[in-house]
Amino acid sequence: MVKEQLEVLKALDIAKTQLYHFTAIVIAGMGFFTDAYDLFCISLVTKLLGRIYYTVPGSAKPGSLPPNVAAAVNGVALVGTLAGQLFFGWLGDRMGRKRVYGLTLLIMVTCSVASGLSLGNQPKAVMATLCFFRFWLGFGIGGDYPLSATIMSEYANKKTRGAFIAAVFAMQGTGILAGGIMAIIVSSIFDKQFPAPAYQVDAKASLPVEADYIWRIIVIFGAIPAALTYYWRMKMPETARYTALVEKNAERAAADMSKVLNKEIKAETEMVERMTTDESNSFGLFSMKFLKRHGLPLLGTTSTWFLLDIAFYSQNLFQKDIFTAIGWIPPSQTMSASEEVFKIARAQTLIALCSTVPGYWFTVAFIDIMGRWAIQMMGFFFMTVFMFAIAFPYNYWSKKENRIGFVIMYALTFFFANFGPNSTTFIVPAEIFPARLRSTCHGISAAAGKAGAIIGAFGFLYAAQNQDPKKTDHGYPAGIGVKNSLIVLGVINFIGMLFTFLVPEPNGKSLEELSGENDGDVEGERVYPQQGNNRSVPV
């Protein structure tokens, strides 16, 4: 037996695309812009931090962050993000999306500024305070994942819901791009105002005292776009799905959406009461009924996000090889501090512009045409193909005359990560779970992804080291080498394809239809649409 859908939710599902949709995209998207800027801008300034705080007088090369410090600076935000995804995902289902949404933004703004104002001038003091505030910055960023996705999915109509959520996530690419552009601007201004020779010409003069401001300005800038959207976040009404299906307040849900949609909507108090007290819609996260209805889809969303992020974040390890191969970044001793920041930022900006950003927007354009499942499967497939195409003939690609081909292959893996599972793993968990557990389940899926990111960013940092202990980076033990690391990543992408078979296809369905909140008590018989067609399988 299928129940009739609430009028307020049906009105949202069939609403034509209008101004409030784009307002929601901008408000949620600016949060993701800030998330990406704050998470990825640190990679632009780690070389500078090494020069400022770890250069040894008389050394032939500028200083660099010791392995343990580099791991802490780059990874502590990922750990904080994982914790924030779990905590704020759970809190978003307990306190409401809107109330928690403002809190995450305040944490992000405060900790962005505090990171740039890290105390002291001694290495231990600066790095300790930087890591402390970047952990809490990551904690706030983590809350933005489940909340932004859930809010956008609950506001969107069912016809273009995928594109709207994808557009929010696509702001991640814009944030990465903005980080590179900001670093280019700041380093260029400082290079002009405080010109300095290369390190090998005059080591001391290559690092003016003013260079310490470069990384601080770049890091602090991340607070500005977040602060600008705080007022609009607080003006957004709570989503009707949370108000009606979780808070059980039919009158407020109808009143809020009447204003948003500019049409009169009837408050259906009795129907809300029946839906929310029905035994089939009142089970908890740790119940057998949840396991039967949503266990396999949750395994699908967590496993694919976990595997994707191992590959996606470890790919960043090879950027330095790419940049060096095509001459974008010369040896550090041939540049001044500000010049090195400029060239690293320029390289990252070009990669973002040519492959990362287009991939996100291809997803926006095609997700409601192709469906989530097809895009995710296609992305994992091509990531596998290009990773193996790089890995097995790695010695061939490493020759100078073949390096352009290597760069193209590398860029295509990034493109198909974003026009593929990097986008869909964010979108699907916001669509397929019940309203009262939607934010929590998205947070669990996202946290699994960040666990993969931590493995990718740090496990492969060590794994990719040369097998000859004499040829490893300073301070690192011998690893399995770049070639073998790439083969492992190709296998991980292939396993991601296999787990995609557990992920349902939400395209064109209402959220209540997908989650079973419109169904009667038909335990074990509810169906999920699968693999981009009309076939259904029992769950």
Side-chain angles (χ1 to χ4, degrees):
M1 186 183 89
V2 177
K3 297 179 181 179
E4 184 184 355
Q5 189 178 21
L6 286 171
E7 184 183 332
V8 65
L9 306 186
K10 186 176 180 181
L12 284 167
D13 277 343
I14 64 173
K16 292 182 179 179
T17 301
Q18 50 193 279
L19 181 61
Y20 82 89
H21 287 122
F22 295 106
T23 303
I25 289 171
V26 170
I27 294 169
M30 285 309 293
F32 252 84
F33 174 96
T34 306
D35 297 348
Y37 183 99
D38 288 335
L39 281 179
F40 291 97
C41 73
I42 198 69
S43 65
L44 299 167
V45 298
T46 48
K47 293 268 191 181
L48 178 60
L49 290 169
R51 279 183 181 248
I52 294 171
Y53 299 108
Y54 291 93
T55 294
V56 178
S59 175
K61 292 182 179 180
S64 60
L65 296 178
N68 60 329
V69 176
V73 168
N74 286 297
V76 71
L78 295 177
V79 176
T81 303
L82 188 155
Q85 286 164 337
L86 290 172
F87 177 72
F88 286 112
W90 169 80
L91 203 63
D93 285 331
R94 296 299 173 273
M95 294 178 58
R97 288 61 159 130
K98 174 188 170 179
R99 194 180 305 173
V100 180
Y101 210 30
L103 178 59
T104 61
L105 201 65
L106 286 176
I107 293 172
M108 288 158 56
V109 171
T110 303
C111 293
S112 288
V113 174
S115 296
L117 298 177
S118 294
L119 306 173
N121 56 9
Q122 294 302 309
K124 283 187 178 180
V126 175
M127 295 303 142
T129 52
L130 177 61
C131 288
F132 175 81
F133 287 118
R134 280 192 64 78
F135 172 85
W136 291 108
L137 173 64
F139 191 67
I141 288 171
D144 243 33
Y145 276 74
L147 293 169
S148 291
T150 300
I151 286 171
M152 198 64 246
S153 72
E154 292 182 347
Y155 263 108
N157 61 54
K158 64 183 181 182
K159 184 179 180 182
T160 56
R161 186 178 61 237
F164 289 160
I165 307 173
V168 170
F169 193 63
M171 292 300 287
Q172 188 177 78
T174 311
I176 294 170
L177 188 62
I181 292 170
M182 185 65 185
I184 288 171
I185 292 170
V186 174
S187 59
S188 298
I189 292 171
F190 274 79
D191 197 40
K192 188 173 182 180
Q193 293 297 315
F194 310 102
Y199 182 88
Q200 63 188 11
V201 174
D202 188 334
K204 187 175 182 180
S206 73
L207 183 66
V209 291
E210 292 83 5
D212 191 52
Y213 292 111
I214 295 176
W215 73 270
R216 295 178 186 275
I217 292 171
I218 292 169
V219 169
I220 288 173
F221 180 79
I224 296 174
L228 292 175
T229 58
Y230 180 77
Y231 171 76
W232 297 107
R233 278 198 183 190
M234 292 299 91
K235 281 199 71 176
M236 288 179 75
E238 181 59 83
T239 70
R241 287 180 161 94
Y242 184 84
T243 305
L245 300 177
V246 183
E247 291 188 328
K248 307 178 185 180
N249 190 334
E251 290 83 0
R252 186 155 67 86
D256 287 345
M257 293 307 106
S258 293
K259 292 176 184 175
V260 167
L261 296 170
N262 291 316
K263 62 181 287 187
E264 189 65 33
I265 298 175
K266 182 177 65 176
E268 299 166 290
T269 306
E270 290 183 9
M271 186 182 290
V272 167
E273 186 66 25
R274 285 200 308 272
M275 288 181 68
T276 54
T277 56
D278 191 308
E279 187 181 338
S280 65
N281 286 331
S282 57
F283 53 85
L285 181 66
F286 300 104
S287 66
M288 284 303 298
K289 188 163 284 190
F290 177 88
L291 186 64
K292 288 179 179 179
R293 284 196 171 199
H294 304 291
L296 284 178
L298 183 60
L299 176 61
T301 58
T302 52
S303 59
T304 52
W305 206 336
F306 173 78
L307 294 163
L308 175 275
D309 272 10
I310 292 177
F312 185 74
Y313 278 81
S314 60
Q315 277 180 296
N316 290 300
L317 296 177
F318 307 110
Q319 284 204 19
K320 64 181 188 300
D321 300 319
I322 300 296
F323 299 159
T324 302
I326 57 181
W328 285 349
I329 302 179
S332 57
Q333 63 268 29
T334 65
M335 298 178 284
S336 67
S338 56
E339 186 183 359
E340 186 173 37
V341 173
F342 174 83
K343 291 193 173 175
I344 292 171
R346 183 182 64 179
Q348 181 169 305
T349 301
L350 286 170
I351 287 288
L353 200 58
C354 295
S355 64
T356 305
V357 173
Y360 285 112
W361 290 100
F362 264 71
T363 300
V364 174
F366 291 105
I367 191 162
D368 290 312
I369 299 170
M370 294 175 61
R372 289 71 157 150
W373 192 91
I375 287 177
Q376 182 162 311
M377 182 62 79
M378 176 192 71
F380 269 129
F381 173 78
F382 282 112
M383 288 173 71
T384 305
V385 168
F386 289 121
M387 196 64 77
F388 283 148
I390 291 171
F392 287 109
Y394 183 72
N395 294 332
Y396 170 84
W397 294 120
S398 62
K399 294 176 182 176
K400 191 172 183 179
E401 63 270 21
N402 302 322
R403 284 175 175 172
I404 292 298
F406 182 53
V407 171
I408 292 170
M409 293 282 193
Y410 175 81
L412 284 169
T413 60
F414 262 113
F415 175 80
F416 281 105
N418 293 315
F419 183 32
N422 194 39
S423 296
T424 55
T425 52
F426 174 79
I427 295 165
V428 174
E431 300 180 295
I432 63 174
F433 298 108
R436 67 188 181 284
L437 299 171
R438 185 170 292 134
S439 179
T440 301
C441 290
H442 194 284
I444 292 169
S445 302
K450 276 298 167 284
I454 292 166
I455 292 171
F458 302 111
F460 281 87
L461 186 63
Y462 287 88
Q465 293 297 316
N466 200 291
Q467 292 173 299
D468 183 350
K470 296 177 181 177
K471 296 181 180 179
T472 61
D473 293 342
H474 179 69
Y476 288 89
I480 62 173
V482 172
K483 178 178 179 177
N484 290 331
S485 296
L486 287 168
I487 292 172
V488 171
L489 292 177
V491 171
I492 287 170
N493 288 328
F494 178 75
I495 296 171
M497 285 176 58
L498 300 181
F499 275 97
T500 296
F501 283 98
L502 297 177
V503 178
E505 173 57 76
N507 198 21
K509 304 287 184 181
S510 75
L511 296 181
E512 289 67 47
E513 195 176 350
L514 288 162
S515 66
E517 289 165 294
N518 274 358
D519 296 354
D521 194 356
V522 288
E523 182 179 336
E525 298 176 8
R526 193 169 59 82
V527 293
Y528 271 115
Q530 287 274 0
Q531 288 84 50
N533 57 30
N534 293 322
R535 185 166 58 87
S536 297
V537 297
V539 174

